[in-house]
Amino acid sequence: MTTVAITGAGRGIGLELVRQHVDAGDRVIALVRNPEKARELADLAATADGRLTIHRLDVADDASVKAGAAETAGEAVDVLYNVAGVSGPVPAELESADWAEWDDVFRIMVQGPLRVLQAFLPRLGAGSKVINFSSQLAASTWPYGGYYSYVAAKAGLNRLMRSVAIDLKDRGVIVGLVHPGWVQTDMGGEAADLTPVESAEGIRKLAREWTLERSGDFLKWNGETHPW
Ligand code: NDP
């Protein structure tokens, strides 16, 4: 049976990945910072024959990540999805910036994925995949301003995970960076192009087909290569 672990699993694209993996018969380790609020996850778990379990894990907090991962220690993980993210301040911060918010954005979206990867690393073997949620805003081709902390964090994540991909190649662990599309979630808003269903379907296919030769690549949800 395929086992997947998903951060940010309580809503948005993370929740839809949970739903689709459960429907596919997979074992799902759902990681959320507030299990009490994750009602839809609880409903899914009630009908998943024990294949879906919910664990508290705040990607911004080292102790929480270690404790959350330890709850399923010993289970090998085939796919680790680093989904959790926040948008940070939107307007251009030319004259001043909210540095506390910058710290949060980086703790969640740069350090977070590495922290989670470290906690799960003993359970990742040859052929295991780590799929990191990046964004088109990370690329030099993104034509708009604003979102300073978000663009900086996602660009940092891309470069960080490319290095991690190189360092994990000998172990056969595959590391991917994915732009999920502009998706109708709390973050993407109602006007976005894609439904969470479409985005998650594409990303699951990518996760199945990603090869070691393409470890460290930045792809779109539909399999196209994303420019850096
Ligand atoms: P949502 O805003 O719908 O959901 C964000 C998720 O991240 C929530 O589950 C939230 O949990 C979780 N999260 C935030 N901070 C933490 C934390 N410290 N620890 C654990 N979980 C946390 O976002 P999307 O589903 O739209 O986005 C998913 C990913 O895709 C993000 O990384 C985002 O940057 C990226 N992305 C999204 C795009 C879009 O158009 N939607 C476009 C490009 C990239 P909680 O409920 O507790 O707040």
Side-chain angles (χ1 to χ4, degrees), residues 7-14 31-34 57-61 82-86 108-109 133-137 150 154 178-189 192:
T7 68
R11 58 190 169 98
I13 307 167
L31 306 164
V32 291
R33 61 177 161 178
N34 279 315
L57 187 149
D58 179 340
V59 304
D61 182 276
N82 272 320
V83 182
V86 288
I108 292 168
M109 293 202 297
F133 277 59
S134 181
S135 168
Q136 60 187 341
L137 275 69
Y150 187 87
K154 291 297 197 188
V178 72
H179 166 52
W182 184 26
V183 188
Q184 294 156 16
T185 62
D186 293 337
M187 185 183 290

Side-chain angles (χ1 to χ4, degrees), residues 87 89-94 102 137 142-152:
S87 32
V90 176
E93 296 170 295
L94 287 173
W102 272 72
L137 275 69
W142 177 249
Y144 305 110
Y147 289 99
Y148 289 176
S149 58
Y150 187 87
V151 298

Side-chain angles (χ1 to χ4, degrees), residues 42-55:
D43 290 346
L44 284 174
T47 57
D49 304 323
R51 286 182 292 107
L52 167 59
T53 55
I54 302 167
H55 309 273

